Every structure is written in structure tokens, then in C-alpha cells.
């Protein structure tokens, strides 16, 4: 052994390699090196004198291992201090590197050393057991393989590369297979048939050799026992078993019982049954065989639609050594049962369907199938509801859902169609499939207003841009087909213009195209325009667009924007009508507060109560309550000898005039309308109290001087005496004039009383003078309307009636008829106060029916019906 290790150690020491990389030294030493073998000469490599190494205490520091090398105290060299076993230190790891530290004190320095322990072939191959018993049946065929366990070698590299040899034998040989790059595994191969009676046991030696120099070996004895032959295989009484079962057979149902026999004795005749080779393979989860009895039963559910026939084999194996087996085939036919409902699929769906789609349009394609067979798989289909769709079939299992009736999206916008399928089984099974069929819109509906005619009330003097009403037209179509825009149609004239001719409706009102809001372009003036009639069109955005229209009648509601005005007399005076007892003076005082000029009248002492002295005449350009005037004595308040008729304006004596009343009475009379707020005008009346004869002369004198407006005093001196002659003439003229007026009033009253009413009320009339108060005087009406004059005596007021008189349109296209003749309705009227109790316009005691209102709309004022003056 020393002869072997000496050259190796010297060689390793001579050829050792060392390197200093980043302050690290590297040495190599073979395992099993002798104690004292020099690994490296440290003083030379560290630059330290050999004698100083001990003095500076150079030593090895191990990291968690026992010290296998140390520093020699004499020479300072790194030497082996104990046995180095690479397999113990590193096992199969390669390379085997040990890390240690060299500590040099005085001064203190640390050096890192890597020591590599190299492998030598010091381990022989080793088998897991020294002997292995193998049993082989005598009927085993040549070529049969029997795997053997390989040996192991603790060395690495070439020292662990193993090769195997087998002792000579005419029946067996070795076959080496590489299990991986490092190991090989031997197989024992039978080369010649065995005969137990000639050689019952074969003994062989398996040798493993490694690749070291010199090579080391290990051995294992193989003892091969030849087993007796089981030379009779089991036999079935049938080679093929055919069975039929319905697919709804429950689990545990007996399919068939197979039977096999074996002529051997003992364990060689004991049989076990197994099922193999299932076609289809899922049969192994459905069918099982009892290993002892050979009974085949169902362990799962059969399904005709998945497998019609199951083919499998039954193996009967005896318990001989080696065991022998026999086989038979089993064919299980599955009978169909109606256990599958039909299935319906929608293979194509063309939606949405336009509502103008023609009859016969294919909406969807459907596929119908039933996994059953025969009558169980024959399917009939129907559709519900039966309209407006139907089913057509040109090929088996394929149906078309077609349109049978015309669609109307506005009536039904979406259909839930149900396709029903039913097979021919007993009992039959059914299936349903819902199909959602939306209907797309087509522009087949024109916009439609809720009313053919809209009646709108608007107050005069409304601000420009004020909303008058909102019109809305319904279009049942959707999207652009149902998006409506509004406009005025200028094809119809709007209203007569006070300046002459006709003005278009667009000069008064406008319609918002999107919202249908009707708004005023300019402030409305009732005195200029009482009623405006025009047409509004609604057009949708479809292709082509459809149109609907409606007529709007806009009635202007009067506002109290005109104060009462005193009417002039024929002689030029303002506000007074002459009577036998007095004459009128010159001017009036308005509500604005301007100075009032004095009006003159004369009355005789001793005049009885109720004697009319004068009559104040006034008119209001407004209508209704706003033009209904009332007269009041503003001054003096209290016990005045005069009073004024509340609605007639007649100034009369309240009692018998006495000389104590003085020579002159001054009255301030206020004329007010009934508007809110009311407007007024004032007049100052000066009444001179004279003797009866003087009153007649004064009346005649005032008639001659009324044009100039000069007031003649009661005490005239020489001037009054000179005029007395002409006064008598004028007195006669005045009496004749008054008598003529009285006769004319009676004639008119009789004509109106006995004339037929239909003739009076027929036809439009321009502005006319109409019959007025109970005393038979005349009052002017500014309304353009039809009139009726009735006079029933001095104690009752007259009645003037205005019926609807719409302005006729100028020549042009006629208004388009609307399709929905619904009754008119008032839209969005915004009135600050309700209508007066009566729809009449009162002017100087008259009642006037507003334009645009029918006779049925009249609400009579009890004061007007009674015809009494409220004074």
C-alpha cells in the first residue's frame, strides 16, 4: 500500500495548483493521503520567513469541521493532520471543496484557503443483497426478461462507472440497459426454454466492476427456481354472450352470468373473473363482474343516445403458478326508451323586423332534433301565438319562422314567439324555445294633434316673447320618425289689420320648432286685434316626412288700458247733452289729473225731484267690465240738491230746488270704469239756479253761444235784454228738436219690438250707432260686430248683443283638414283675474257679447237683465 501511495502523494504535491484570487489560495490533495503530507508551503506564498511562521502564530481556522489539515510549527507548511475521506466529506458531490481560513497574528491578517479533496478508487461496487431468489415458470418463453437490481459505488467519475458480467449459462444471458448517463441496469434474459424436471434450480453469479485503476468488483448470487407448469387453461361454455337491456334499466340489474371450468386440481382450478377491453371505454364505469361468481351487473346508467352496444371480454384466470386464463365475449345491446325531449336551436335570426315587411318574410331559421330513434325521435313543431308568425319546413329537422300577417310597431313593438316541439313517443315529450322578435319602426304615422281646433286666450299688452300656449302633436313612431317639429303655416291669412289689408299670423305669434311653445312676437292690442286664427303644422323627421296640422283661434282678452273719454256734443261742447232744463258747457277733465274746465247748466227754482238737468256722455275704448262706466258725484259730498245716474250719467234734482240752495251749485262728477284697477275721468258741472222764465231764456241763449263756449250769466243787464227776442225763437226750435227726437225714438222702438229677430241678427255689419239709454239719446259703439237695438221704455236699459264674427281670410289655399275633429279646449290661459260674471262688454249701459263666444256661452248679469239704473 505504501508503494501505491508514495508516488501518488509526491505527484500530487509536485503538480499541486494554487491561485490567489481576490485574496484566496487554492490547494488540492487526494483523499486518504498520509498524515504529514505537505499540502502547501505557506511562508513562501505569504512572504513570511519559515522561522517567523511559528513566532507570528500562523494557524488554520476550520469552519464547522474537524481539523484534517494544520500548519506545521517547524516549517510553517500546510500538512495533512488526519484521515481525509472524500465520500465522508462530500458524498457524491463533485468537486469536493473545503473552505478554511489562515490566521496570521502580529500583525493580524486573515487568508482564505480553498482545499479540494480529489477522489481515488477506494470503494468497490456493492449490491443491495448478496443473494437474490427468482421464480420462473417452466413454460416461460425464450426472450422473457427479468429485471435485476444494479450495484452502487460510493466513488465518483470513472471510479463509479460500473459494468456487469454473468457467469456462463445456456439458458440465461445479461442485457444491459442505460437508465441514465451515469448508471446502467442489467436485465436477465431467458435464451432457452426451461425444464423443471431436468434442472429445478439455476445458480448464477452476477459481477459488477468499476472503472478505476485498478478496477474493484462486487458480486451477487442469483438463485433461479423453475416453477411447475399450470398446463390447463379455464374454458367458457360460450364464446359469445348476447344480451339486450332497455336504457332505463336500474343499477344492479343482472346482465348475464358467465361460467368457465378448469380441469386442473387445487389452486390451478380456482378461477377469478375480470372484465376487460370495453368498447366503448366508458363501459367499465357502467358494467362490472363478480370475480367469484361470474355475475355481470349494471353499476351505472345506460344511455342509448351515447352507446347502442357495449362489447367487452370476460377473463377467467386460475390460481395456478403461473396462472392461466380463458376468455369470452359479451355483447350488450341497449334498447331505446323515449327519455329525451326534442331540442330546438335558433340557427339564424334576422331582427329587428321592419313593420312594413311583406308577408312571407323569413324571420328566423330553426333546427329541431331528438336524440331518440324511431317514433321517439320524430318531432312535430308549432308556433305560439299563431299570429302573426308561422312555421314552414322544407327539410327534415329544419324550420323557417315566417311572417304571416302585416306588422304594426305602434300596436305591438315586440313579440315573444314560442316554438313548441313534440316527439312521437308514448308518452310524448315536449320542448319550447322562445324567440324575441323586435319590430323596427317605419315612418307610417303622421303627427296628430290632440285637438283639431285649439282656443287660446291671451291678455292684451302681453310682453313680446311671452308664452301663450303649448301645442303638442303625438307621433307614435320612434327615433327620427317620431321627432316632431312645429311651424306656422303662412298659407292661411292671420287677421285683418286696422291699417287696412291682412297681416300674416307670423307678425303676431311664433311657434318654437322643438317644444311647440306658442309665444307672442309683439304685444297684442285688443283694440287692434280681437281674434287671430292660424294653422300650426307638425312635421316629423322621417323619410319621407309626414305632416299633421291644427287650427288655433287666439282670442285677445281685453285689459283696462283705456280711461273713459267724454263725448263731444253737436255744438262742440264736451260731455253734456242739452235738456229743456239746461244746456251743456265746454270741456272735460281726464283721469290724468289735468285741470277740468267747467260745464254749465241751468235749473229753475221749484223744479221737482227727478228733474233731469243735464246728461254726461262718456265712452271707453275697452270692453266688458273695463268699458262698463259708472257716474258718481265726487263733490259736494253730503246733502247736495243734485244727483247723477249711476250708469246713465243723467244729472237730476234730488229734491225740490229752493231759494236757500243759492244761485249756483258746483258739481264734480267722476266717470269710472269697472276695470282692475279702474280708470276714471272727471267733469265739473256748474248749475245756475234761476227763475222759470230766466231758465228758458238762458237755455235759448246758451244754444246760440255754445259753439264759442261763452257762458251767459243769469243777470245779463242790457245784454240779456237785447237777446230776449231771439231767445224765444231758439226756445221754439229746441222744443221741436226734442219732440222730433222723442218721436224718432218711439218709431225705432216699435220697429225693433216687432221686427223678426232672425232678420236683425243676420249678416256682419260695420261699426254703427246703436240705441242707448232710457232717455233716447245716442251713444257710439266702437266694436265691429252685429247689433240688436231694443228700447222698452224710459225706465229700462237697452241691450246690444254681439255674436261671433270671425274675420274672413283673404283668397288663398284653404286650411288643411285635420284627422281628429276633437272639441276645442282652452290651452294654458294665464289670466290675472277671472272673467266678469257676464261675457258682455258694457259701454254706457250696453251689454256686448265678446267676439268668438257663442250664445250658449252667455252668463247674464242680473243688473243688465233687470235694466234698472243703479243711482
Amino acid at each position: 500500500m505504501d508503494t501505491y501511495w508514495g508516488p501518488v502523494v509526491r505527484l500530487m504535491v509536485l503538480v499541486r495548483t494554487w491561485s490567489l484570487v481576490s485574496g484566496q489560495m487554492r490547494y488540492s490533495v487526494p483523499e486518504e493521503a498520509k498524515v504529514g503530507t505537505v499540502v502547501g508551503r505557506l511562508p513562501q506564498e505569504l512572504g513570511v520567513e519559515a522561522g517567523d511562521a511559528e513566532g507570528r502564530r500562523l494557524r488554520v481556522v476550520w469552519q464547522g469541521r474537524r481539523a484534517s489539515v494544520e500548519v506545521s510549527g517547524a516549517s510553517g507548511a500546510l500538512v495533512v493532520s488526519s484521515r481525509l475521506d472524500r465520500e465522508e466529506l462530500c458524498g457524491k458531490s463533485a468537486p469536493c471543496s473545503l473552505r478554511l481560513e489562515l490566521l496570521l497574528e502580529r500583525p493580524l491578517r486573515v487568508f482564505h484557503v480553498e482545499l479540494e479533496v480529489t477522489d481515488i478508487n477506494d470503494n468497490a461496487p456493492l449490491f443491495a443483497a448478496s443473494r437474490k431468489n427468482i421464480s420462473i415458470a417452466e413454460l416461460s418463453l425464450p426472450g422473457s426478461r427479468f429485471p435485476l437490481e444494479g450495484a452502487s459505488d460510493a466513488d465518483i467519475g470513472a471510479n463509479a462507472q460500473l459494468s456487469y458480467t454473468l457467469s456462463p449459462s445456456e439458458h440465461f444471458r445479461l442485457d444491459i440497459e442505460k437508465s441514465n448517463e451515469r448508471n446502467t441496469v442489467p436485465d436477465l434474459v431467458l435464451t432457452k426454454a426451461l425444464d423443471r424436471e431436468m434442472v429445478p434450480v439455476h445458480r448464477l453469479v452476477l459481477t459488477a466492476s468499476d472503472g478505476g485503476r485498478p478496477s474493484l468488483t462486487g458480486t451477487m448470487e442469483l438463485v433461479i427456481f423453475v416453477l411447475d407448469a399450470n398446463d390447463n387453461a379455464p374454458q367458457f361454455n360460450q364464446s359469445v354472450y348476447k344480451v339486450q337491456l332497455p336504457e332505463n334499466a336500474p343499477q344492479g340489474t343482472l346482465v348475464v352470468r358467465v361460467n368457465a371450468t378448469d380441469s386442473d386440481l387445487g389452486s390451478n382450478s380456482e378461477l377469478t373473473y375480470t372484465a376487460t377491453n370495453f368498447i366503448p371505454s366508458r363501459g367499465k364505469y357502467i358494467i362490472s363482474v363478480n370475480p367469484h361468481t361470474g355475475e355481470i351487473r349494471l353499476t351505472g346508467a345506460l344511455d342509448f343516445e351515447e352507446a347502442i352496444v357495449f362489447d367487452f371480454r370476460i377473463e377467467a384466470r386460475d390460481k395456478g403458478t403461473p396462472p392461466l386464463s380463458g376468455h369470452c365475449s359479451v355483447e350488450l345491446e341497449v334498447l331505446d326508451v323515449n327519455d329525451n325531449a326534442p331540442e330546438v336551436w335558433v340557427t339564424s335570426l334576422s331582427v329587428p323586423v321592419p313593420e312594413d315587411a311583406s308577408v312571407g318574410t323569413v324571420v328566423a331559421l330553426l333546427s329541431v332534433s331528438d336524440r331518440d330513434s324511431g317514433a321517439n325521435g320524430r318531432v312535430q313543431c308549432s308556433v305560439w301565438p299563431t299570429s302573426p308568425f308561422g312555421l314552414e319546413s322544407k327539410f327534415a329537422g329544419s324550420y323557417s319562422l315566417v311572417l304571416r300577417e302585416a306588422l304594426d310597431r305602434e300596436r305591438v313593438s315586440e313579440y315573444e314567439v314560442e316554438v313548441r316541439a313534440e316527439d312521437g313517443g308514448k308518452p310524448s315529450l315536449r320542448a319550447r324555445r322562445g324567440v324575441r322578435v323586435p319590430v323596427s319602426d317605419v315612418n307610417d304615422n303622421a303627427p296628430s294633434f290632440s285637438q283639431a281646433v285649439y282656443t287660446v286666450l291671451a291678455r292684451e299688452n302681453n310682453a313680446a316673447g311671452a308664452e301663450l300656449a303649448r301645442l303638442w302633436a303625438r307621433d307614435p313612431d320612434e327615433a327620427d320618425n317620431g321627432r316632431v317639429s312645429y311651424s306656422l303655416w303662412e298659407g292661411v291669412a292671420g287677421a285683418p289689420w286696422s291699417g287696412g289689408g291682412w297681416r300674416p299670423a307670423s307678425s303676431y305669434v311664433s311657434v318654437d320648432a322643438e317644444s311647440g311653445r306658442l309665444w307672442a312676437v309683439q304685444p297684442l292690442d285688443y283694440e287692434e286685434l280681437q281674434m287671430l286664427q292660424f294653422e300650426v303644422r307638425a312635421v316629423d323627421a322621417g323619410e319621407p316626412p309626414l305632416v299633421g296640422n291644427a287650427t288655433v283661434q287666439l282670442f285677445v282678452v281685453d285689459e283696462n288700458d283705456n280711461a273713459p273719454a267724454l263725448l263731444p256734443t253737436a255744438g262742440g261742447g264736451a260731455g253734456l247733452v242739452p235738456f229743456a232744463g239746461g244746456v251743456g258747457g265746454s270741456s272735460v277733465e281726464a283721469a290724468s289729473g289735468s285741470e277740468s274746465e267747467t260745464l254749465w247748466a241751468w235749473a229753475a227754482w221749484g223744479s221737482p225731484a227727478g228733474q233731469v238737468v243735464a246728461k254726461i256722455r262718456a265712452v271707453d275704448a275697452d270692453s266688458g267690465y273695463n268699458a262698463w262706466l259708472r257716474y258718481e258725484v265726487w263733490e259736494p259730498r253730503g246733502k247736495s240738491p243734485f244727483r247723477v245716474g249711476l250708469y246713465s250719467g243723467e244729472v237730476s234734482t234730488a229734491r225740490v230746488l229752493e231759494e236757500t240752495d243759492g244761485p249756483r251749485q258746483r258739481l264734480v262728477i267722476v266717470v269710472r270704469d269697472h276695470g282692475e284697477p279702474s280708470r276714471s275721468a272727471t267733469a265739473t258741472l256748474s248749475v245756475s239756479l234761476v227763475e222759470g222764465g230766466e231758465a228758458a231764456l238762458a237755455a235759448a241763449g246758451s244754444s246760440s253761444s255754445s259753439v264759442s263756449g261763452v257762458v251767459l250769466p243769469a243777470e245779463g243787464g242790457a245784454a240779456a235784454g237785447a237777446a230776449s227776442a231771439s231767445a224765444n225763437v231758439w226756445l221754439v226750435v229746441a222744443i221741436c228738436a226734442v219732440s222730433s227726437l222723442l218721436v224718432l225714438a218711439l218709431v225705432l222702438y216699435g220697429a225693433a219690438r216687432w221686427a223678426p229677430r232672425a232678420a236683425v241678427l243676420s249678416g256682419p255689419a260695420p261699426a254703427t250707432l246703436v240705441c242707448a239709454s232710457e232717455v233716447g239719446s245716442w251713444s257710439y259703439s266702437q266694436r265691429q260686430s252685429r247689433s240688436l237695438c231694443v228700447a222698452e221704455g224710459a225706465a229700462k236699459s237697452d241691450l246690444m248683443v254681439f255674436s261671433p264674427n270671425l274675420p274672413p281670410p283673404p283668397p288663398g289655399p284653404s286650411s288643411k283638414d285635420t284627422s281628429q275633429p276633437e272639441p276645442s279646449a282652452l290651452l294654458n290661459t294665464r289670466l290675472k283675474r277671472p272673467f266678469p260674471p257676464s261675457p258682455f262688454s258694457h259701454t254706457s249701459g250696453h251689454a256686448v257679447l265678446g267676439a268668438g263666444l257663442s250664445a250658449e256661452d252667455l252668463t247674464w248679469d242680473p243688473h243688465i237683465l233687470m235694466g234698472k239704473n243703479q243711482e
Side-chain angles (χ1 to χ4, degrees):
M1 194 67 176
D2 292 340
T3 304
Y4 170 74
W5 283 110
V8 173
V9 172
R10 287 194 297 271
L11 178 62
M12 295 301 294
V13 172
L14 290 176
V15 300
R16 66 177 175 79
T17 59
W18 62 275
S19 64
L20 185 60
V21 181
S22 299
Q24 178 173 309
M25 294 176 288
R26 181 168 181 160
Y27 299 96
S28 178
V29 63
E31 65 173 331
E32 306 295 344
K34 290 183 179 181
V35 176
T37 301
V38 177
V39 177
R41 299 192 180 276
L42 299 178
Q44 297 177 4
E45 297 178 359
L46 299 178
V48 180
E49 294 296 332
D52 295 340
E54 184 176 6
R56 296 182 63 178
R57 299 192 63 183
L58 178 65
R59 67 180 186 275
V60 177
V61 178
W62 286 84
Q63 298 178 354
R65 297 176 179 269
R66 64 181 179 82
S68 297
V69 293
E70 63 183 14
V71 179
S72 174
S75 62
L78 186 64
V79 297
V80 178
S81 62
S82 62
R83 177 175 177 266
L84 290 171
D85 186 356
R86 193 202 65 78
E87 288 74 30
E88 178 183 347
L89 294 174
C90 301
K92 282 286 189 179
S93 298
C96 181
S97 297
L98 305 178
R99 297 182 182 273
L100 52 95
E101 293 180 350
L102 290 176
L103 185 61
L104 180 63
E105 299 181 0
R106 300 173 188 173
L108 179 63
R109 295 178 63 188
V110 178
F111 301 92
H112 296 278
V113 177
E114 182 179 350
L115 179 62
E116 180 181 3
V117 181
T118 60
D119 183 52
I120 64 173
N121 192 21
D122 59 342
N123 291 282
L126 182 64
F127 286 96
S130 60
R131 178 176 174 175
K132 181 176 179 61
N133 295 329
I134 302 175
S135 298
I136 300 177
E138 62 175 323
L139 296 181
S140 298
L141 299 177
S144 300
R145 304 174 70 91
F146 305 94
L148 303 176
E149 290 187 19
S152 61
D153 195 316
D155 294 326
I156 61 174
N159 298 329
Q161 294 293 331
L162 303 181
S163 60
Y164 297 91
T165 58
L166 186 65
S167 58
S169 173
E170 62 176 334
H171 294 281
F172 300 96
R173 66 176 177 85
L174 279 181
D175 187 11
I176 306 300
E177 291 188 356
K178 255 188 172 315
S179 61
N180 51 51
E181 294 180 355
R182 298 181 302 274
N183 298 327
T184 56
V185 178
D187 282 351
L188 186 63
V189 181
L190 182 62
T191 59
K192 185 180 179 180
L194 300 176
D195 188 353
R196 192 192 65 81
E197 286 74 23
M198 293 181 63
V199 183
V201 178
H202 295 264
R203 296 182 181 271
L204 303 176
V205 177
L206 179 62
T207 302
S209 301
D210 60 23
R213 293 290 183 270
S215 176
L216 301 180
T217 61
T219 60
M220 181 177 64
E221 182 183 10
L222 300 178
V223 180
I224 301 171
F225 296 95
V226 180
L227 303 178
D228 187 25
N230 181 22
D231 54 356
N232 290 291
Q235 296 291 327
F236 284 93
N237 54 3
Q238 288 180 233
S239 60
V240 178
Y241 293 85
K242 294 185 177 182
V243 185
Q244 290 183 334
L245 284 179
E247 62 176 324
N248 60 351
Q251 295 185 16
T253 299
L254 177 65
V255 178
V256 68
R257 180 173 182 174
V258 296
N259 183 37
T261 58
D262 194 322
S263 58
D264 291 331
L265 298 175
S267 60
N268 291 335
S269 63
E270 295 180 6
L271 305 180
T272 56
Y273 300 91
T274 56
T276 61
N277 299 337
F278 282 93
I279 301 176
S281 60
R282 65 181 299 271
K284 60 185 176 183
Y285 305 110
I286 299 175
I287 301 169
S288 66
V289 59
N290 189 308
H292 305 293
T293 63
E295 291 182 350
I296 302 174
R297 294 184 179 273
L298 295 179
T299 57
L302 299 176
D303 191 347
F304 175 85
E305 289 69 38
E306 293 187 3
I308 300 176
V309 176
F310 288 94
D311 290 330
F312 56 96
R313 301 187 71 184
I314 299 297
E315 179 186 54
R317 182 185 292 268
D318 60 24
K319 297 182 179 180
T321 305
L324 299 179
S325 60
H327 302 82
C328 72
S329 296
V330 178
E331 294 181 3
L332 173 58
E333 181 182 1
V334 182
L335 302 179
D336 183 43
V337 175
N338 190 26
D339 59 344
N340 290 281
E343 295 180 339
V344 182
W345 295 277
V346 179
T347 58
S348 178
L349 183 61
S350 299
V351 293
V353 180
E355 61 178 321
D356 62 347
S358 59
V359 174
T361 299
V362 177
V363 177
L365 297 179
L366 303 106
S367 178
V368 181
S369 66
D370 194 316
R371 299 176 61 190
D372 296 323
S373 63
N376 297 332
R378 287 194 293 270
V379 180
Q380 296 293 330
C381 290
S382 61
V383 64
W384 185 90
T386 56
S387 62
F389 300 100
L391 287 178
E392 292 182 357
S393 177
K394 295 183 179 179
F395 304 98
S398 179
Y399 288 87
S400 299
L401 183 65
V402 298
L403 191 62
R404 293 283 178 82
E405 299 176 5
L407 300 177
D408 185 0
R409 190 201 66 82
E410 288 70 39
R411 186 174 59 88
V412 180
S413 61
E414 185 176 278
Y415 291 90
E416 291 292 340
V417 181
E418 186 176 86
V419 178
R420 299 176 176 179
E422 181 178 1
D423 61 25
K426 300 295 183 180
S428 61
L429 299 179
R430 299 174 179 84
R432 300 179 180 183
R433 173 70 66 179
V435 180
R436 177 177 169 269
V437 182
V439 181
S440 61
D441 185 50
V442 174
N443 193 24
D444 57 345
N445 290 278
S448 175
F449 288 94
S450 59
Q451 299 174 205
V453 179
Y454 289 87
T455 301
V456 180
L457 300 180
R459 286 190 176 276
E460 68 170 328
N461 303 322
N462 59 327
E467 182 176 324
L468 303 178
R470 286 184 184 267
L471 306 180
W472 181 73
R474 177 180 178 272
D475 194 324
D477 296 323
E478 63 179 359
D480 287 346
N481 297 332
R483 190 170 65 250
V484 178
S485 61
Y486 303 88
S487 63
L488 285 178
W489 186 39
E490 296 293 354
V492 175
W497 184 34
S498 61
W502 287 76
R503 295 181 64 176
S506 59
S507 63
Y508 294 100
V509 294
S510 180
V511 176
D512 186 79
E514 294 185 1
S515 64
R517 183 175 68 96
L518 182 67
W519 53 279
V521 174
Q522 63 180 3
L524 300 176
D525 187 0
Y526 175 83
E527 286 69 39
E528 174 190 341
L529 176 70
Q530 287 80 43
M531 196 276 288
L532 177 65
Q533 179 171 312
F534 54 91
E535 186 172 291
V536 175
R537 280 188 169 183
V539 183
D540 61 27
E543 289 294 339
L546 300 180
V547 180
N549 52 38
T551 300
V552 178
Q553 291 181 348
L554 174 64
F555 291 92
V556 181
V557 180
D558 182 49
E559 288 284 340
N560 192 25
D561 58 346
N562 292 280
L566 300 178
L567 293 178
T569 63
L576 274 184
V577 176
F579 287 91
V583 294
S586 59
S587 66
V588 283
E589 177 186 11
S592 61
S594 61
E595 278 195 28
S596 171
E597 295 188 13
T598 304
L599 307 178
W600 296 89
W602 288 263
W605 285 329
S607 297
Q611 177 69 44
V612 176
V613 176
K615 180 177 178 65
I616 305 298
R617 297 185 307 140
V619 70
D620 196 316
D622 296 322
S623 66
Y625 276 131
N626 299 330
W628 186 18
L629 303 182
R630 57 185 295 170
Y631 303 84
E632 299 176 1
V633 176
W634 186 255
E635 291 180 3
R637 296 180 179 273
K639 298 180 179 180
S640 173
F642 296 98
R643 63 183 178 183
V644 64
L646 182 62
Y647 297 110
S648 66
E650 294 179 346
V651 179
S652 60
T653 57
R655 54 181 172 77
V656 177
L657 297 179
E658 300 174 354
E659 292 185 4
T660 58
D661 292 327
R664 181 173 298 171
Q665 291 286 331
R666 180 178 177 274
L667 304 177
V668 178
I669 298 175
V670 178
V671 184
R672 299 181 186 274
D673 58 26
H674 285 71
E676 292 183 6
S678 65
R679 292 176 177 268
S680 64
T682 61
T684 301
L685 177 63
S686 180
V687 182
S688 297
L689 304 181
V690 297
E691 295 292 340
E694 294 178 354
L697 291 175
S702 75
S703 299
S704 62
S705 61
S706 61
V707 176
S708 62
V710 177
V711 179
L712 298 177
E715 301 87 0
S724 61
S726 61
N728 294 329
V729 177
W730 287 108
L731 180 59
V732 174
V733 172
I735 294 173
C736 292
V738 172
S739 301
S740 299
L741 291 176
L742 181 59
V743 172
L744 179 60
L746 292 175
V747 172
L748 293 177
Y749 169 75
R753 182 72 173 175
W754 301 105
R757 292 186 180 272
V760 176
L761 291 175
S762 62
T768 59
L769 294 175
V770 296
C771 187
S773 68
E774 65 272 20
V775 296
S777 63
W778 293 97
S779 178
Y780 180 74
S781 170
Q782 294 180 335
R783 298 178 55 86
Q784 297 179 0
S785 57
R786 302 173 186 175
S787 61
L788 170 64
C789 179
V790 179
E792 297 183 354
K796 295 185 179 180
S797 298
D798 301 325
L799 177 66
M800 182 169 62
V801 179
F802 292 88
S803 61
N805 184 21
L806 304 183
S814 60
S815 174
K816 184 176 180 181
D817 293 337
T818 56
S819 58
Q820 297 181 359
E822 298 182 10
S824 302
L826 298 181
L827 288 183
N828 201 11
T829 57
R830 291 170 172 81
L831 300 180
K832 297 181 180 178
R833 62 185 177 88
F835 272 116
S838 167
F840 294 96
S841 174
H842 304 278
T843 302
S844 301
H846 301 288
V848 181
L849 180 63
L853 301 178
S854 63
E856 289 78 9
D857 298 326
L858 297 181
T859 303
W860 298 97
D861 190 317
H863 300 297
I864 301 302
L865 289 178
M866 292 174 64
K868 295 182 179 180
N869 294 324
Q870 300 178 11
E871 299 179 359

